[in-house]
Amino acid sequence: MPRHFLKLSDLSAAEINRVIDRARALKAQKAALPQPFAGKTLAMIFTKNSTRTRVSFEAGMAKLGGHALFLHGDATQLGRNEPIADTARVLSRMVDAIMIRNDSHRDQQELARNASVPVINGLCNLHHPCQLLADLQTWIEHRGPLAGKTAAWVGDGNNVCHSWIEAAKLLGFKLRLACPAGFTPEADLLAWAGNAVESCADAASAVRDADLVVTDTWTSMGQEKEEAQRLAAFAAYTVNAELMALAKPEAIFQHCLPAHRGEEVSAEVIDGPQSVIWDEAENRLWAQMALLEFLLAA
């Protein structure tokens, strides 16, 4: 049976660290990369737009000697209501792995159940595990081992937040959450994480003495009709210089991008010396490459 990666907890802590270590090794090599994917193809299904996910997977396959196919949902038979199971069976006979970026974790599970090759979650409504591999890699590169450290999530309890919750539980760091009422993470996931995660009354409580501060856009793709409501609900959750000053002096700032300066983060923070967003964005490439190596060797 193939190994799938639909959520971060599909890997053990040891496997996550193995992928991150390999990502760092590939990044260090750069000009002398191996070519293990000669003759191999990755199918990339997109029903949601993307910059970092598409480029990191497509470039990563090319750098390792393989090829990636961009399949927009509206330009495939999926867009004409072909059953997901049928698409999974057909693609499995033609490619070596499938990456899907869509709105439905349930559809991703259906794809994986019927595929005979690895299926990777490039983003869905509930999880964004590939982003977390890059985020964790970046944190380790800048500040070393994660065990015992504290991360502060400020803003929407969304798919990226869910993957941060899984990371805290698996890797032994503390995650403090500051999310407004009505925008908190899934209750079942919080129960699973137990005391690895602490829900805070406000952003200041979450950020105080944290080693890492992380946020995401308040209005994601598909939520545009909620924008006015969200802007009002999140008004007190902007990561600005005053809030960052409550974290440890050596604390770093992360954002998965794209960002809205002046909303979830101020320009002085995201463009300031504590921000590691460009390293974080680049590491999507190396983390994706290491993940593909891991899954295709499984």
Side-chain angles (χ1 to χ4, degrees):
M1 294 293 293
R3 287 291 301 271
H4 302 300
F5 188 61
L6 303 186
K7 58 186 188 300
L8 193 69
S9 57
D10 285 338
L11 303 184
S12 67
E15 289 170 333
I16 293 169
N17 285 319
R18 174 181 160 188
V19 170
I20 291 172
D21 288 346
R22 180 58 177 159
R24 297 180 68 192
L26 289 168
K27 185 178 181 180
Q29 288 179 258
K30 284 190 178 180
L33 293 169
Q35 301 288 291
F37 293 165
K40 294 188 182 296
T41 302
L42 171 71
M44 306 186 302
I45 302 171
F46 287 87
T47 66
K48 293 178 76 74
N49 292 336
S50 168
T51 299
R52 282 151 291 275
T53 298
R54 178 179 177 180
V55 174
S56 58
F57 274 107
E58 192 163 338
M61 283 295 292
K63 286 178 179 293
L64 294 177
H67 180 67
L69 297 171
F70 175 74
L71 305 173
H72 194 281
D74 290 341
T76 68
Q77 295 298 338
L78 273 176
R80 299 175 63 190
N81 297 316
E82 178 177 64
I84 292 170
D86 290 0
T87 296
R89 295 180 183 111
V90 170
L91 289 180
S92 294
R93 291 178 177 234
M94 297 181 178
V95 303
D96 300 280
I98 302 167
M99 189 282 299
I100 179 168
R101 180 179 170 96
N102 70 342
D103 284 314
S104 172
H105 187 67
R106 183 174 297 176
D107 285 354
Q108 292 187 355
Q109 291 173 316
E110 177 73 4
L111 187 71
R113 275 194 299 270
N114 291 279
S116 55
V117 298
V119 175
I120 300 167
N121 175 1
L123 174 143
C124 71
N125 59 319
L126 292 182
H127 298 279
H128 199 355
C130 289
Q131 180 66 53
L132 259 289
L133 291 176
D135 291 356
L136 297 169
Q137 177 186 345
T138 307
W139 194 7
I140 291 168
E141 284 178 347
H142 283 268
R143 295 294 182 264
L146 304 182
K149 288 190 168 68
T150 298
W153 174 272
V154 179
D156 194 8
N158 62 10
N159 49 3
V160 183
C161 180
H162 288 162
S163 291
W164 270 104
I165 291 169
E166 292 204 327
K169 174 68 172 179
L170 291 166
L171 298 179
F173 62 87
K174 186 76 172 183
L175 178 65
R176 298 199 202 117
L177 303 177
C179 306
F183 299 93
T184 54
E186 294 285 327
D188 289 348
L189 187 58
L190 289 173
W192 171 82
N195 59 12
V197 177
E198 176 187 354
S199 295
C200 298
D202 52 43
S205 300
V207 169
R208 188 169 285 110
D209 296 323
D211 299 282
L212 169 72
V213 179
V214 59
T215 189
D216 192 6
T217 181
W218 293 342
T219 307
S220 298
M221 286 181 288
Q223 298 173 335
E224 289 80 7
K225 292 181 179 179
E226 305 172 17
E227 184 171 9
Q229 174 195 1
R230 286 174 168 272
L231 289 175
F234 288 99
Y237 291 82
T238 299
V239 179
N240 53 28
E242 181 181 5
L243 190 65
M244 280 297 296
L246 298 176
K248 290 181 178 178
E250 67 275 18
I252 58 176
F253 171 80
Q254 290 192 357
H255 190 306
C256 64
L257 302 177
H260 298 80
R261 288 166 173 79
E263 291 184 13
E264 73 271 10
V265 60
S266 66
E268 62 187 337
V269 170
I270 198 169
D271 298 321
Q274 290 173 285
S275 174
V276 295
I277 61 165
W278 308 123
D279 291 340
E280 182 185 3
E282 178 190 345
N283 285 340
R284 289 293 303 276
L285 172 66
W286 307 108
Q288 255 76 286
M289 290 164 67
L291 175 67
L292 286 162
E293 274 194 345
F294 175 82
L295 294 175
L296 288 174

